[in-house]
C-alpha cells in the first residue's frame, strides 16, 4: 500500500557552517530565515505562479462580488484551477453551477454543485435539505461548504457534495460525468439514439423515490384548485402583462428579461389567430381570450373546489434538479422550494411540461403533439392509462412515438399518485388544471424558444377550454366537438384502467427494494471509499491507483475456536481470492489461509487504506457484474414472464470502526449475547441500528444478505457479508484491521 507522501531532504553539503546551540536557540526565537539562493528564488516564482487562480467555463456569468464569495470556499484555496458550468438561473437571481476543481497536473477532482443566493435563502435551503433529503432516499446531496454574506446581491453560497467520487471519475467507471436529466432528455428528444434508457430513469426518479417523498405526508384535503395552482396569477405573468413583467425581470437580470421578452406580446405567438380558431371556433386574439378567463376569477375559485390527494411537493421538479450519475443513479437537488399540503401532481405536471415545452425541440411533427395536447386536456379520471390510439396516427414519426412513451409513463405515475386508500372521486379535472397552470407558466420562462412557447400556448388554450367545459361554461360547438372526440378515445381505453387493487398495492410500496438498493449502495459507497486524502497535500488520492502489493515481515497465529466452513462460505472465499491477491499476495503464502485476517501495524502504515482498497474493489466489481447481467438476453419462464438474472456470487462490504464496537461492549459489559451471531440483535445489528437507523436501507440490506445466506441452502447463488473492521483502539498507536467474510 502507499499514499502520496512528500519528503524534504537536506544534503549535508548544503550546510555552510556549524551552528552552536546558542545560535539555534536565537534563530528559533527570532524565526530562522536563510539567505535566498537562486534555486530558492526560482521556487518562490513558481509558487507565486501556481497560486494564481484560474477559473474556466461560465465565469462571465458570475459577478465580482460573487467571485469574492467563491474565493472564500475551501476548495479554491487548495486548487489553482477550477471550472464552472451553469445549470440553472432563476427569476430571484439565484444561480446554480457545476463546480469542478483540477489538480496541478490537470486531473479533475470530484464535481460538486454550487448555488449563489441571498443569505436567508441559503440558510433556509440548508435547513430544508437536512430535513427532507432522507425522504427521497440515499441519492440526495449533503452540504459540503457554505459562505454567508450580508448583501443585497445573491452572493451567499451553498456547495453540495454529490457523494464524492461517484460523479465523472474515470477511475471508477468509464462513463460520462454527472448529467442533468434535462440534458439527457434534450439529446434523446432531439435525435433518439436510445444510448440512454430513459424509461428506467423515470421509473427510478418518479415512480419510486419521488413517490415515497411525496407520500410521506399524504392526506385527503378539499382545496380550490384555481387558488392552489394560481391560475389567474400565472395568466397575468405569462400572457396579459408580459411587458410589465419583463421590465421587472430586467431590473434583476438582463439575461432573464432577454429570454422572457421573446415575444413581448403574446399575440405574436399566434398572429393570425389559428390556435383560437381551431380550439375555440371563433376569431379572437389570445389576449382577449385569456382576459375573459382572468375576469372569471371568482367563478373559477368557487367552481374548482375539489377533494384531492395532497402531500409533500418539491415544487420545482424539472430536469435541472434531477441529476444522473455515471452509474445511472438519480439524484434530487434544490430543496429550497419544498412545500407541504400540495396537490400530489404538482411536481409531475411540472416535469411533464418541462419535457414538452423545454426539452422537446422542433424536429417532431407538431400535428401529433397538438393531438396529444387535446387528449391530455380532456383526461376523464385518475385511473386510465393514456390511449394507445395515438400510436396509429404517429407511425410515421419515431420521435413522436418516443415522446409518447415518456408521456405515457408519466401518466402511469400520475395515476398511482392520485390513487390509493381513501382516494376521492376524480373526474380528471385536477390533472387538467395542473397541466393548464404549468403550460401557462412556461410562457413566463426564459428558457423555451419561440417555437416551444408557441407549443405551450396551444396546450394552454386547450386546457383553458377543458376547464371552462368542466364548470359548465359554453365553449361553443367547435370546442365541444373535439372534447367529445378525445373523450371517446379515453373511453376506448377503459379496458386498461388501473384496478383499485393495483393502486392500493402501489400506495403501500416501501422505499426499500433489495434489487434496487444493492447496486445503489455498491455504487455510492464503493466510489466514496475509493478515495482518501493525502496527509501532506490534502488532495484526494485514488486508493486503487495509489497502491503497491502488501509485504509481510512477520506472521503468527492466533489460537481460536476451530470453525468448519460450509460449502457456500468456501465459494465466497474462492471468489474473494483475486481481490485479496491484488492487494496482499503474501497472505496466500500462509498455511491454511482461508480469508479471515488480522493485520497489526504502526500508525500510518496503511491499514485503513487497505480496508478502503478492498471495499472499493469489492463494490466496483459487483457494480460491473450487475451491469453485465442487464445486458444479457431476457429469459422467460413457462408462463411467459421475464425471469430477472441473478448474481451467482454477491458480496456486501461494510466498513466498521472497531472502536465503536468497543464502546458498545463497555456500555453493556455483562451482555454477552451480542457476541453471538444473530441477525436481529448481535453486535453488528446493534451498531447498524444506532448509526444508520433501524429502518435504514443499509440495515435492511445487511439483514437480507444474512437471512438469504442462512435460508437459501439449495440455491446455486451465494451471498455474503464482508466486514472490514478498522481501528482496534482509537488511543492505540497500533490499531488493527480485521477482514472477515
Amino acid at each position: 500500500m502507499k499514499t502520496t507522501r512528500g519528503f524534504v531532504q537536506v544534503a549535508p553539503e548544503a550546510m555552510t557552517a556549524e551552528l552552536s546551540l546558542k545560535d539555534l536557540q536565537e534563530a528559533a526565537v527570532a524565526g530562522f530565515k536563510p539567505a535566498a539562493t537562486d534555486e530558492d528564488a526560482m521556487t518562490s516564482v513558481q509558487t507565486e505562479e501556481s497560486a494564481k487562480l484560474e477559473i474556466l467555463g461560465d465565469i462571465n456569468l458570475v459577478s465580482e462580488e460573487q467571485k469574492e464569495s467563491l474565493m472564500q470556499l475551501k476548495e479554491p484555496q487548495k486548487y489553482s484551477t477550477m471550472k464552472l458550468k451553469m445549470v440553472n438561473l432563476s427569476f430571484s437571481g439565484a444561480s446554480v453551477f457545476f463546480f469542478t476543481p483540477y489538480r496541478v497536473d490537470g486531473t479533475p477532482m470530484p464535481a460538486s454543485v454550487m448555488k449563489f443566493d441571498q443569505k436567508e435563502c441559503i440558510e433556509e435551503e440548508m435547513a430544508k435539505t437536512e430535513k427532507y433529503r432522507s425522504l427521497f432516499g440515499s441519492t440526495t446531496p449533503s452540504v459540503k461548504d457554505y459562505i454567508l454574506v450580508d448583501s443585497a446581491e445573491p452572493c451567499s453560497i451553498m456547495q453540495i457534495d454529490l457523494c464524492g467520487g461517484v460523479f465523472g471519475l474515470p477511475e471508477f467507471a468509464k462513463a460520462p460525468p454527472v448529467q442533468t436529466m434535462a440534458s439527457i432528455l434534450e439529446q434523446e428528444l432531439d435525435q433518439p439514439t436510445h444510448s440512454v434508457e430513459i424509461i428506467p430513469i423515470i421509473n427510478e426518479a418518479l415512480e419510486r423515490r419521488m413517490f415515497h417523498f411525496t407520500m410521506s405526508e399524504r392526506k385527503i384535503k378539499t382545496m380550490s384548485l384555481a387558488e392552489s395552482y394560481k391560475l389567474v396569477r400565472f395568466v397575468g405573468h405569462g400572457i396579459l402583462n408580459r411587458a410589465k413583467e419583463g421590465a421587472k425581470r430586467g431590473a434583476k437580470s438582463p439575461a432573464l428579461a432577454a429570454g422572457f421578452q421573446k415575444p413581448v406580446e403574446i399575440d405574436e405567438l399566434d398572429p393570425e389567430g389559428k390556435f383560437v380558431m381551431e380550439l375555440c371556433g371563433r376569431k379572437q386574439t389570445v389576449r382577449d381570450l385569456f382576459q375573459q378567463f382572468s375576469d372569471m376569477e371568482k367563478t373559477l375559485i368557487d367552481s374548482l373546489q375539489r377533494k384531492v390527494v395532497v402531500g409533500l411537493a418539491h415544487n420545482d421538479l424539472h430536469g435541472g434538479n434531477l441529476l444522473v450519475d455515471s452509474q445511472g443513479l438519480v439524484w434530487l437537488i434544490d430543496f429550497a422550494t419544498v412545500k407541504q399540503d400540495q396537490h400530489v401532481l404538482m411536481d409531475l405536471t411540472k416535469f411533464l411540461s418541462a419535457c414538452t415545452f423545454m426539452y422537446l425541440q422542433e424536429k417532431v411533427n407538431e400535428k401529433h403533439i397538438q393531438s396529444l395536447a387535446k387528449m391530455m386536456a380532456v383526461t376523464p379520471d385518475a385511473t386510465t392509462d393514456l390511449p394507445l390510439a395515438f400510436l396509429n396516427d404517429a407511425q410515421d414519426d419515431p420521435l413522436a412515438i418516443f415522446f409518447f412513451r415518456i408521456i405515457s409513463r408519466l401518466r402511469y405515475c400520475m395515476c398511482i399518485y392520485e390513487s390509493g386508500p381513501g382516494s376521492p372521486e376524480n373526474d380528471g379535472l385536477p390533472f387538467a388544471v395542473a397541466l393548464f397552470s404549468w403550460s401557462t407558466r412556461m410562457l413566463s420562462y426564459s428558457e423555451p424558444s419561440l417555437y416551444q412557447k408557441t407549443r405551450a400556448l396551444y396546450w394552454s388554450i386547450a386546457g383553458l377550454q377543458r376547464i371552462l367545459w368542466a364548470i359548465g361554461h359554453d365553449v361553443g360547438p367547435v370546442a365541444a366537438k373535439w372534447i367529445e372526440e378525445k373523450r371517446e378515445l379515453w373511453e376506448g381505453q377503459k379496458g386498461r384502467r388501473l384496478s383499485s387493487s393495483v393502486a392500493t398495492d402501489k400506495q403501500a410500496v416501501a422505499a426499500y427494494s433489495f434489487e434496487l438498493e444493492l447496486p445503489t449502495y455498491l455504487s455510492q459507497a464503493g466510489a466514496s471509499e475509493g478515495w482518501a486524502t493525502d496527509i501532506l497535500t490534502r488532495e484526494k488520492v485514488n486508493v486503487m491507483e495509489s497502491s503497491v502489493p502488501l509485504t509481510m515481515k512477520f506472521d503468527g497465529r492466533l489460537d481460536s475456536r476451530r470453525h468448519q466452513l460450509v460449502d457456500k462460505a468456501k465459494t465466497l472465499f474462492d471468489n474473494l481470492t483475486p481481490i485479496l491477491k491484488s492487494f496482499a499476495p503474501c497472505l496466500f503464502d500462509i498455511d491454511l489461509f482461508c480469508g479471515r485476517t488480522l493485520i497489526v501495524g504502526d500508525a500510518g502504515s496503511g491499514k485503513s487504506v487497505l480496508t478502503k482498497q478492498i471495499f472499493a474493489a469489492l463494490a466496483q466489481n459487483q457494480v460491473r457484474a450487475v451491469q453485465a447481467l442487464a445486458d444479457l438476453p431476457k429469459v422467460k419462464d413457462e408462463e411467459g414472464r421475464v425471469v430477472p438474472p441473478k448474481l451467482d456470487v454477491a458480496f456486501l462490504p461494510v466498513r466498521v470502526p472497531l472502536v465503536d464496537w468497543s464502546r458498545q461492549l463497555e456500555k453493556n459489559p455483562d451482555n454477552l449475547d451480542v457476541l453471538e451471531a444473530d441477525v436481529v440483535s448481535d453486535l453488528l445489528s446493534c451498531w447498524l441500528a444506532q448509526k444508520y437507523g433501524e429502518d435504514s436501507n443499509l440495515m435492511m440490506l445487511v439483514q437480507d444478505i444474512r437471512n438469504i445466506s442462512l435460508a437459501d441452502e439449495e440455491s446455486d447463488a451465494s451471498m455474503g457479508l464482508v466486514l472490514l473492521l478498522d481501528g482496534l483502539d482509537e488511543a492505540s498507536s497500533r490499531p488493527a484491521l480485521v477482514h472477515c467474510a
Side-chain angles (χ1 to χ4, degrees):
M1 298 152 289
K2 73 174 183 180
T3 57
T4 306
R5 300 180 183 275
F7 298 91
V8 178
Q9 296 181 341
V10 181
E13 56 270 17
M15 302 296 292
T16 56
E18 185 177 349
L19 299 176
S20 66
L21 179 60
K22 182 179 180 181
D23 294 332
L24 289 173
Q25 290 174 338
E26 292 177 353
V29 172
F32 181 65
K33 296 181 180 179
T37 63
D38 292 340
E39 184 177 352
D40 293 332
M42 185 180 299
T43 303
S44 176
V45 171
Q46 291 173 345
T47 302
E48 291 178 3
E49 289 295 327
S50 62
K52 292 181 179 178
L53 190 63
E54 183 180 14
I55 305 179
L56 308 174
D58 296 332
I59 186 61
N60 59 307
L61 303 179
V62 178
S63 69
E64 291 300 323
E65 194 169 352
Q66 288 175 331
K67 290 179 186 177
E68 293 179 7
S69 298
L70 172 62
M71 299 309 163
Q72 298 178 46
L73 293 171
K74 296 174 184 176
E75 285 191 318
Q77 299 176 29
K78 292 167 51 180
Y79 301 99
S80 59
T81 304
M82 55 206 62
K83 183 177 181 180
L84 295 179
K85 179 182 178 182
M86 176 169 278
V87 179
N88 191 31
L89 178 66
S90 71
F91 169 61
S92 65
S95 52
V96 181
F97 294 83
F98 279 138
F99 179 73
T100 307
Y102 288 80
R103 293 195 310 205
V104 176
D105 62 0
T107 303
M109 302 308 294
S112 58
V113 172
M114 186 172 61
K115 182 175 185 178
F116 291 96
D117 207 341
Q118 302 287 344
K119 177 183 176 181
E120 58 274 12
C121 296
I122 291 295
E123 291 176 325
E124 181 183 8
E125 182 168 356
M126 288 193 296
K128 285 188 174 182
T129 299
E130 184 62 28
K131 180 178 180 180
Y132 296 117
R133 60 190 294 266
S134 61
L135 296 176
F136 187 79
S138 53
T139 51
T140 49
S142 57
V143 178
K144 182 177 184 179
D145 197 3
Y146 65 92
I147 299 295
L148 300 177
V149 180
D150 289 314
S151 173
E153 290 190 26
C155 298
S156 294
I157 301 176
M158 181 181 70
Q159 184 184 12
I160 54 179
D161 186 3
L162 299 173
C163 195
V166 173
F167 295 92
L169 298 179
E171 297 85 353
F172 180 52
K174 306 297 183 183
V178 59
Q179 303 176 75
T180 63
M181 190 178 286
S183 64
I184 295 174
L185 286 167
E186 284 178 357
Q187 294 170 10
E188 290 297 311
L189 287 173
D190 181 61
Q191 185 173 359
T193 62
H194 303 294
S195 59
V196 179
E197 290 292 338
I198 297 294
I199 302 303
I201 294 177
I202 292 176
N203 291 343
E204 171 71 6
L206 304 181
E207 184 184 350
R208 178 169 173 258
R209 294 193 176 274
M210 204 66 212
F211 177 85
H212 180 66
F213 178 90
T214 302
M215 297 303 166
S216 63
E217 298 188 9
R218 181 185 186 271
K219 63 183 74 168
I220 309 300
K221 184 178 179 180
T222 300
M223 63 167 54
S224 171
L225 295 172
E227 289 184 308
S228 178
Y229 281 99
K230 304 175 182 177
L231 299 188
V232 174
R233 176 184 175 184
F234 291 132
V235 165
H237 281 187
I239 295 178
L240 301 179
N241 305 314
R242 293 189 64 83
K244 181 179 178 181
E245 186 68 17
K248 187 191 302 183
R249 291 167 186 251
K252 290 192 174 184
S253 170
L256 285 172
F260 172 78
Q261 291 180 326
K262 294 179 180 179
V264 176
E265 291 295 333
I266 195 66
D267 288 328
E268 295 178 37
L269 294 176
D270 186 27
E272 298 178 4
K274 292 182 179 179
F275 292 169
V276 178
M277 179 62 70
E278 178 183 345
L279 295 170
C280 306
R282 58 180 178 271
K283 196 71 174 177
Q284 188 179 19
T285 65
V286 172
R287 169 177 285 279
D288 288 344
L289 175 66
F290 279 91
Q291 184 64 61
Q292 292 175 2
F293 180 83
S294 183
D295 292 340
M296 298 173 60
E297 182 174 8
K298 181 64 170 60
T299 302
L300 294 171
I301 292 175
D302 295 339
S303 302
L304 297 181
Q305 293 279 344
R306 289 291 189 280
K307 184 178 288 187
V308 294
V309 183
V310 300
L312 197 64
H314 181 274
N315 223 41
D316 193 22
L317 192 70
H318 55 78
N321 283 332
L322 288 168
L323 309 182
V324 182
D325 68 20
S326 58
Q327 300 303 307
L329 303 178
V330 183
W331 292 69
L332 177 66
I333 64 171
D334 194 0
F335 291 85
T337 55
V338 173
K339 290 184 179 180
Q340 299 172 316
D341 291 341
Q342 299 292 303
H343 182 216
V344 292
L345 298 190
M346 178 71 73
D347 289 335
L348 295 186
T349 47
K350 174 163 189 178
F351 185 80
L352 185 153
S353 299
C355 292
T356 308
F357 312 130
M358 293 170 62
Y359 312 144
L360 181 64
Q361 307 296 321
E362 304 177 22
K363 295 182 179 179
V364 68
N365 187 327
E366 200 60 34
K367 287 296 181 183
H368 296 150
I369 304 304
Q370 291 175 354
S371 175
L372 192 58
K374 296 177 182 177
M375 188 182 299
M376 298 292 286
V378 300
T379 304
D381 52 45
T383 58
T384 306
D385 281 333
L386 196 60
L388 296 177
F390 174 85
L391 298 178
N392 297 329
D393 299 329
Q395 290 180 352
D396 59 338
D397 190 349
L399 186 55
I401 294 176
F402 177 64
F403 180 70
F404 177 82
R405 286 182 58 214
I406 294 175
I407 300 302
S408 180
R409 197 61 200 173
L410 293 177
R411 168 63 185 171
Y412 176 80
C413 293
M414 292 173 186
C415 292
I416 295 172
Y417 278 54
E418 287 197 294
S419 303
S423 296
E425 291 294 325
N426 193 311
D427 59 358
L429 190 59
F431 165 75
V433 171
L435 183 60
F436 167 75
S437 173
W438 283 113
S439 302
T440 307
R441 190 171 180 178
M442 289 286 175
L443 292 168
S444 63
Y445 280 23
S446 301
E447 293 87 351
S449 65
L450 278 173
Y451 190 93
Q452 291 168 324
K453 288 179 181 178
T454 301
R455 180 185 296 150
L457 177 62
Y458 188 96
W459 283 58
S460 182
I461 296 174
L464 179 147
Q465 292 296 87
R466 159 63 194 275
I467 292 173
L468 294 178
W469 177 83
I471 65 176
H473 188 80
D474 183 15
V475 295
V478 172
K481 181 179 179 180
W482 67 258
I483 289 174
E484 290 299 328
E485 289 176 351
K486 295 301 180 182
R487 286 181 70 85
E488 287 179 5
L489 293 178
W490 282 95
E491 288 298 323
Q493 190 71 9
K494 292 293 185 180
R496 300 183 71 243
R497 180 192 297 270
L498 290 174
S499 67
S500 59
S501 61
V502 171
T504 302
D505 292 343
K506 272 294 178 184
Q507 177 65 31
V509 169
Y512 170 81
S513 170
F514 179 82
E515 291 75 12
L516 293 172
E517 285 300 333
L518 179 60
T520 298
Y521 169 76
L522 292 171
S523 297
Q524 296 175 228
S528 60
E529 291 288 350
W531 291 83
T533 302
D534 183 83
I535 59 175
L536 295 179
T537 65
R538 309 309 298 168
E539 293 181 349
K540 286 187 177 293
V541 179
N542 185 269
V543 298
M544 305 292 288
E545 293 185 339
S546 305
S547 63
V548 295
L550 179 71
T551 58
M552 182 168 48
K553 295 182 179 179
F554 167 79
D555 68 273
R557 178 175 178 177
L558 297 177
D559 292 329
S560 60
R561 182 176 58 184
R562 184 175 180 81
H563 181 70
Q564 185 66 35
L565 295 178
V566 299
D567 292 338
K568 290 203 175 230
K570 292 178 181 178
T571 301
L572 287 170
F573 281 131
D574 290 342
N575 282 272
L576 199 59
T577 296
I579 292 175
L580 292 179
K581 276 188 175 181
S582 63
F583 298 108
C586 59
L587 295 177
F588 294 87
D589 296 332
I590 303 174
D591 294 337
L592 303 178
F593 172 73
C594 66
R596 289 186 174 91
T597 313
L598 171 67
I599 299 177
V600 181
D602 293 328
S605 58
K607 299 175 299 302
S608 295
V609 174
L610 178 58
T611 65
K612 294 173 75 69
Q613 290 168 341
I614 296 175
F615 190 113
L618 276 171
Q620 294 174 18
N621 285 351
Q622 292 290 292
V623 170
R624 295 188 183 98
V626 171
Q627 292 175 336
L629 286 179
D631 297 332
L632 293 177
K634 305 299 181 184
V635 178
K636 297 184 178 180
D637 59 14
E638 296 178 354
E639 299 180 2
R641 294 174 299 189
V642 176
V643 179
K646 295 183 179 180
L647 289 172
D648 293 332
V649 178
F651 293 105
L652 181 71
V654 179
R655 202 158 75 95
V656 182
L658 266 173
V659 67
D660 287 358
W661 282 9
S662 175
R663 288 169 179 165
Q664 282 182 231
L665 293 174
E666 287 177 359
K667 290 180 181 179
N668 302 290
D670 298 329
N671 188 2
L672 299 180
D673 295 339
V674 295
L675 297 178
E676 296 295 328
D678 187 285
V679 176
V680 177
S681 60
D682 62 9
L683 198 60
L684 174 62
S685 296
C686 292
W687 176 78
L688 287 168
Q690 291 176 7
K691 185 172 179 64
Y692 297 100
E694 293 185 358
D695 59 346
S696 65
N697 290 340
L698 178 57
M699 178 75 170
M700 290 186 279
L701 275 175
V702 171
Q703 289 181 343
D704 281 354
I705 287 283
R706 298 178 74 182
N707 286 325
I708 291 171
S709 64
L710 291 173
D712 197 11
E713 295 292 341
E714 298 181 359
S715 172
D716 295 333
S718 297
M719 291 192 177
L721 185 68
V722 178
L723 295 183
L724 300 155
L725 309 178
D726 182 24
L728 183 63
D729 185 348
E730 68 176 355
S732 170
S733 62
R734 297 174 66 83
L737 173 145
V738 178
H739 154 245
C740 57

